[in-house]
Every structure is written in structure tokens, then in C-alpha cells.
Amino acid sequence: MNALPSAACLNTKQTPYYYYDTQLLHRTLDAIKRETDKHAHFEVHYALKANAHPQLLQQISQAGFGADCVSGGEITAALKAGFPANKIVFAGVGKRDDEIRLALQQHIFCFHVESLEELEVVNALAAQEQQVARVALRINPNVGAHTHAHITTGLSENKFGIPLTQMNTAIDACSRLEHITLIGLHFHIGSQITDMSDFVSECQRINELQTELNQHDIHLRYINVGGGLGVNYDDPDGGAIPDFQAYFDTFAQHLHYTKEQTIHFELGRSVVAQCGSLISKVLYIKEGEHKKFCIIDAGMTELLRPALYQAHHKIENRSSQGALETYDVVGPICESSDVMAQGVLLPSCHRGDILAIRSAGAYGESMASQYNGRPLVQGYLSNDFSLEERKI
Ligand code: LLP
């Protein structure tokens, strides 16, 4: 089922813009809740970095999710959208002092600390605020993931997390520092992961570490396994809702935990990717020497993923059912890498046609830039289109 409105309806707003299908968002949130309800210890924190559109955030917070934030800006956005402070975690490899202070003053649930030096800083700032900060150590598990190199995070060559070899030193530091209390461990191996065996490897590494800690009589009440569940970019309609059952079952089966522990998941992409499309208009068709260029009014400023990760997004011509032709669909930005897709078959494109670039709900709007003097564009929810418009 394709839930996008007609081209005439989409054409009622100034392009380019993001279109978010709130019905699909709700079906996705319901699917996640259905699965997590089966496991008493599982809780999901939405990773705001995927998309922090205020209205989407409100709906996600109203559905009872927590928030995974990586900056003071995201913490502020989460609070504004109604996420309770005690369901907010603060991660990130380079937290500034003012951001740590903000998080302390707001009494967030937990800091995910990524280095020994950061532990000292959180401790010092918590002392100034006369608080004891809850921390989890983000451990770099040195587990690979079958995904693009730029979005792998759990290998020792990546900048993220405390190296496995320093974990015990960090735990000792936590017991020495009076203004922090260690409550858990945090992991994240990468993003756009569709091979469940990567998550099995993650579970195995966490199990090994927990066994080692238990032998030293260290029992942590909180394990955060990160996010990373991928979506189907080839078939955004057939794969509209990711296989949350397989994902959560993998952890239920392979992660060892006790009934005193809570297991947190930080899903971003799988929550919002499929509900969003980038809507763009064809400006020109240019006959190159060897190919045809379809030049559109959206570019890497609105969706960076194809340029940055050679990511594939399905493109549809919503205005035409004509004969198929092959195009390079390109944006207007002065960069050769500003290509949405190369050699795609589309119904014959003409100036003024409306294209939908699908699966753009995650890491689209949140990674937008103003390069080339372009203003940031709007994100509209499906219910921002009046009933009349929707009938067009
Ligand atoms: N937790 C941590 C610690 C993370 O670093 C990330 C993503 C997430 C959770 C959420 O991961 P997700 O469920 O969305 O895969 N811009 C890239 C993705 C970068 C992901 C960064 N970290 C892209 O467009 O593919």
C-alpha cells in the first residue's frame, strides 16, 4: 500500500519539503510496543538524531517512549516535546560542560560516558551542582556490523566508547568518584543493520563482560544495547514496518539478564525512516552526452545520505505513468556528489513533475544544511493537508 497523496495534493505546498505519514508512524510505534510488551524488562528510547521534528517528537513521547539525546539541543527538544527527564539519556563522544550542566539541572536518567576523562568532568560538574550523577559506561565492544563503514561504531578503530581494555579502570574510577554512581553499561555497534547475527554477536560480547563483572561481584541494573535496526530502502511500502519481532526476539534469546535488570534499546531509523518522504519538483531535464539528467529542486542539503554514504532511496514520479526512461536524478547544489540516484528508471519526467524520495524520515531533515544559501525546508505531517487537499 502506498499512502502518499496524489501529485496534485502534494503540489499544494512549496517544494521541496518533507512529508510525514503520521498513520504509519503510529502503526510503527504500536508494532514496537506490541513486541516490547512481551518482554517485561525491555524499554525503548527514541534516538532523536534520526529526526527531531517537534510534532513527531510529541507523538513519540505521547506513545510512552524515552529519549536518547546527543546534545544539549536534543535534550531541550526532548523536554519540550514532553519526554519526562527521567526517561532521557545523554550520550555522545564529546559532551560540552554547559551541556552536562543542563542535563544535571534537568535530572535526566543517565549519562552515557565515553572516556575516562569525561568521567572526571561529569563528577566535577555534578559536585558543583551538589548531585550524584547516574552514569553508564559506553563500552566499545569491538564487534563489527554488516553495514556501511561510515555508520559502523563498535570497532576498536572507531572513536566511540571506552576500549574494552579500559573497562575495569573506568569501573574503579566510578567507585572512587563521589559524585557519580555507576548504574549500567551502554553499547552500540552501528546503524542500518539487517543481519540479526550482528546483534547476536553483540549479545555474546555483553554476556562475556557481564560474566566477568559478576565474578567481581559487580551487578549492574541497566544494560543499553544501542540502536541500529535497519529498514528496507528498496521496498518502502512492502517493508513499511521493520521486523521488530525478529529484532527483539534476538535479544530476548541471546542476551543474558536477570529480573533485576532493565534492557534499553535506542532505536532511531526504524521508528521514523519509512514514514517520511522528501517531496521535490522537477526543474529541468537535461540531455547529457551519455545520459539524461533529471534536475530536481531538492539536493544533498535536504537529503545527504546518497552523497555521503552512497545510500539508495527509492524515487517515484508521482505525476506520470508514462513510458519508463533512465535518469540520473540530481539536485541543484554545486557539488558533483549531489546525486540522488544514478541510472534509475522512472516514468518519463517533465518540468513540474512531483517526485517522492522515499524512506527519508530518518537522517533527512535532521542532517539538512544551508549550503549554497538554501533555507532549511519545512516538514509537514499528513494531517497538515486539509481534507479538500487530500481529495485532489
Ligand atoms: N544509539 C547510538 C549510540 C547511536 O550512535 C545511534 C546512531 C543510535 C542509537 C540510533 O541508531 P539507529 O537506530 O538510527 O540506527 N546518519 C547515518 C546514521 C548515523 C547513526 C548514528 N548513530 C545514516 O543516515 O545512515
Side-chain angles (χ1 to χ4, degrees):
M1 178 188 78
N2 187 322
L4 275 178
S6 67
C9 171
L10 292 170
N11 207 6
T12 55
K13 310 261 189 235
Q14 169 74 50
T15 57
Y17 63 88
Y18 306 94
Y19 173 90
Y20 299 117
D21 177 349
T22 38
Q23 244 197 338
L24 179 56
L25 175 65
H26 282 280
R27 287 201 288 130
T28 308
L29 295 172
D30 287 347
I32 297 175
K33 282 203 286 192
R34 232 183 353 264
E35 294 308 318
T36 48
D37 282 353
K38 292 182 191 164
H39 309 282
H41 306 262
F42 287 7
E43 274 178 38
V44 176
H45 282 218
Y46 169 65
L48 266 77
K49 61 175 85 67
N51 191 326
H53 186 287
Q55 286 162 286
L56 295 185
L57 288 187
Q58 260 173 26
Q59 307 202 7
I60 298 169
S61 76
Q62 278 163 13
F65 288 64
D68 162 37
C69 300
V70 290
S71 68
E74 284 191 355
I75 294 175
T76 306
L79 289 167
K80 208 166 160 200
F83 288 95
N86 65 6
K87 281 193 175 186
I88 294 178
V89 296
F90 184 17
V93 74
K95 303 178 187 73
R96 290 198 314 257
D97 292 14
D98 62 300
E99 296 176 307
I100 296 173
R101 242 181 238 116
L102 168 77
L104 287 166
Q105 286 159 1
Q106 296 295 334
H107 304 281
I108 64 157
F109 171 62
C110 187
F111 290 83
H112 291 168
V113 172
E114 303 222 12
S115 68
L116 297 173
E117 191 164 25
E118 188 192 330
L119 272 181
E120 306 275 348
V121 172
V122 173
N123 181 65
L125 295 174
Q128 284 171 17
E129 299 290 327
Q130 300 178 340
Q131 282 192 36
V132 177
R134 284 172 295 276
V135 305
L137 300 175
R138 176 166 180 183
I139 305 298
N140 184 324
N142 199 17
V143 168
H146 297 91
T147 185
H148 191 279
H150 287 187
I151 51 177
T152 296
T153 52
L155 286 174
S156 53
E157 69 206 45
N158 300 131
K159 68 179 175 180
F160 298 102
I162 297 174
L164 278 174
T165 47
Q166 293 172 22
M167 184 178 83
N168 291 336
T169 315
I171 290 177
D172 290 346
C174 291
S175 41
R176 174 172 54 80
L177 298 168
E178 286 176 7
H179 289 273
I180 56 180
T181 178
L182 176 64
I183 62 166
L185 298 178
H186 173 226
F187 305 85
H188 176 74
I189 57 171
S191 199
Q192 185 49 21
I193 297 171
T194 48
D195 184 342
M196 292 302 123
S197 69
D198 290 334
F199 294 120
V200 174
S201 309
E202 181 186 9
C203 290
Q204 287 164 345
R205 179 53 51 82
I206 300 175
N207 293 343
E208 283 163 25
L209 294 178
Q210 289 220 81
T211 308
E212 191 187 318
L213 292 179
N214 294 347
Q215 280 161 0
H216 292 89
D217 209 20
I218 298 170
H219 303 272
L220 298 170
R221 68 172 155 106
Y222 162 56
I223 299 293
N224 187 316
V225 299
L229 176 62
V231 302
N232 189 340
Y233 283 100
D234 297 327
D235 186 8
D237 296 313
I241 300 189
D243 191 349
F244 293 112
Q245 182 174 4
Y247 174 72
F248 289 111
D249 280 358
T250 300
F251 287 91
Q253 271 172 32
H254 296 275
L255 188 69
H256 300 161
Y257 53 91
T258 66
K259 55 179 187 315
E260 282 76 39
Q261 288 184 304
T262 48
I263 311 300
H264 283 202
F265 298 82
E266 295 173 334
L267 296 177
R269 184 191 318 266
S270 52
V271 182
V272 288
Q274 300 295 38
C275 77
S277 295
L278 174 59
I279 307 299
S280 178
K281 203 175 269 182
V282 176
L283 293 173
Y284 306 104
I285 303 296
K286 176 155 84 176
E287 297 277 354
E289 296 230 340
H290 308 291
K291 40 169 94 169
K292 243 183 204 176
F293 295 100
C294 175
I295 303 168
I296 63 174
D297 64 3
M300 62 196 287
T301 38
E302 288 73 41
L303 186 64
L304 184 59
R305 306 192 68 259
L308 195 58
Y309 317 114
Q310 296 76 50
H312 165 68
H313 285 256
K314 188 172 178 203
I315 302 182
E316 293 167 355
N317 184 347
R318 309 290 305 170
S319 302
S320 161
Q321 312 269 332
L324 294 178
E325 292 195 52
T326 305
Y327 298 95
D328 275 16
V329 179
V330 301
I333 309 301
C334 299
E335 293 280 342
S336 299
S337 59
D338 183 30
V339 176
M340 283 290 172
Q342 275 181 325
V344 280
L345 274 175
L346 289 175
S348 173
C349 293
H350 303 278
R351 176 173 168 81
D353 282 359
I354 295 284
L355 303 193
I357 302 157
R358 305 292 308 278
S359 314
Y363 305 110
E365 188 168 357
S366 62
M367 292 178 80
S369 79
Q370 300 190 1
Y371 186 41
N372 280 196
R374 289 164 66 83
L376 294 176
V377 309
Q378 291 281 319
Y380 295 108
L381 274 55
S382 34
N383 27 340
D384 289 334
F385 291 78
S386 69
L387 271 180
E388 260 111 81
E389 281 171 334
R390 278 188 261 173
K391 276 191 222 131
I392 303 175

